Amino acid sequence: MTTSVHQFLCLTDNYGVLVHDSKTGATAAVDAPEAGPILAALDEKGWKLTDLLITHHHADHIQGAPELKARFPELTIVGPAKEVARIPGLDTLVGEGDTVRVGSLEARVIETPGHTTGHVAYYFEEDEFVFCGDTLFSLGCGRAFEAPYAVLWSSLLKLAALPAETQVYCGHEYTEANARFALTIESGNAILRDRAEHVAALRAEKRPTLPTTIGLELAANPFLRAEEPPVKAAVGMPDADPEDVFAEIRSRKDRFKG
Ligand code: ZN
Ligand code: FE
């Protein structure tokens, strides 16, 4: 195994993550919530930052970039072409289907608009993990800030179609609050109830609930389950299209005070 992934907390509930290729020594950070913890993690591992892969333009995903670039002048900053005007300092612009290289590792870019209009995910197919920023969370999904709910739904379907065993790294540790909402939709889902219990135990010890997997999310995340009869019934829309069911669940979550 030449690939290592190291995940750590930034700010209050953002995750920073480093992907290291021991074959070439290349190391990528995915998003830059703040430079301090990323530099500390690099130090701890003895890794040198070569690439920064940005998922979207929100400040809590990019604001550490200038300090990282100052520390590593050779750093290549990769980000969505569709958000170039809103992300300072991008060196490489990417879109759907592009390949991003980190040393000998390869990631495929998946455009996942909805949370923001140009949001992208980075899928390391061979290594079986995906970095999906603020599109998919465990037991939840991002808010549809910049597009209609249906756009976010199509993006989630793209992620849902990845192999079940794919490890999913998300931008935030929101799982415990997401579980409280998810149980209001599907209280009878045994896999969701198990996951909620496990998550509560992990969080009681301040341990991360991520990465998750596509398989677990398909079984427990109501936002990926808008086609499932029990979910449709739970929101009183047994005959509706899944995208409308998704929109109803997302708007309930927007109003949820959990
Ligand atoms: Zn965001
Ligand atoms: Fe965020």
Side-chain angles (χ1 to χ4, degrees):
M1 191 68 181
T2 67
T3 311
S4 330
V5 181
H6 177 51
Q7 176 186 252
F8 47 92
L9 211 59
C10 291
L11 305 171
T12 51
D13 56 30
N14 281 77
Y15 277 119
V17 63
L18 297 175
V19 184
H20 178 71
D21 173 27
S22 66
K23 210 187 275 176
T24 61
T27 304
V30 181
D31 287 336
E34 56 176 339
I38 296 173
L39 293 170
L42 288 162
D43 248 16
E44 180 195 323
K45 294 288 185 182
W47 296 341
K48 177 179 171 289
L49 194 64
T50 52
D51 303 87
L52 172 59
L53 314 182
I54 302 268
T55 61
H56 67 295
H57 71 83
H58 285 156
D60 63 310
H61 297 259
I62 67 169
Q63 64 200 358
E67 200 175 329
L68 295 176
K69 184 79 176 184
R71 175 74 180 69
F72 299 98
E74 307 292 300
L75 180 67
T76 301
I77 305 183
V78 178
K82 289 179 178 165
E83 297 190 353
V84 63
R86 297 194 282 183
I87 305 174
L90 289 183
D91 300 302
T92 304
L93 306 181
V94 293
E96 182 72 22
D98 285 348
T99 297
V100 173
R101 287 195 172 73
V102 178
S104 67
L105 313 181
E106 280 188 5
R108 175 155 59 82
V109 175
I110 304 175
E111 290 189 351
T112 55
H115 178 66
T116 65
T117 52
H119 195 297
V120 296
Y122 297 93
Y123 174 43
F124 288 74
E125 184 166 10
E126 200 164 311
D127 294 291
E128 301 182 315
F129 47 74
V130 67
F131 298 97
C132 61
D134 289 358
T135 298
L136 174 64
F137 295 124
S138 185
L139 307 182
C141 70
R143 282 181 186 258
F145 281 126
E146 297 182 5
Y149 290 130
V151 172
L152 180 56
W153 169 243
S154 317
S155 294
L156 290 170
L157 287 180
K158 289 162 91 174
L159 296 173
L162 299 177
E165 60 275 17
T166 307
Q167 303 276 315
V168 180
Y169 289 86
C170 313
H172 292 266
E173 179 59 66
Y174 287 160
T175 316
E176 199 170 18
N178 287 342
R180 282 195 290 276
F181 173 77
L183 286 166
T184 70
I185 303 291
E186 237 192 334
S187 60
N189 179 332
I191 297 171
L192 169 58
R193 290 163 64 144
D194 280 0
R195 172 72 170 150
E197 250 177 56
H198 186 220
V199 161
L202 288 170
R203 295 311 294 155
E205 296 174 12
K206 300 211 169 9
R207 287 161 65 194
T209 65
L210 299 167
T212 179
T213 63
I214 292 294
L216 175 56
E217 296 309 311
L218 283 171
N221 185 332
F223 294 96
L224 295 188
R225 295 173 55 74
E227 293 177 90
E228 299 296 326
V231 172
K232 291 176 143 188
V235 296
M237 302 172 72
D239 302 315
D241 287 341
E243 72 174 51
D244 296 327
V245 176
F246 170 77
E248 170 62 20
I249 299 172
R250 185 57 262 181
S251 67
R252 286 189 187 196
K253 177 67 160 54
D254 291 346
R255 300 188 302 265
F256 182 68
K257 307 254 184 293

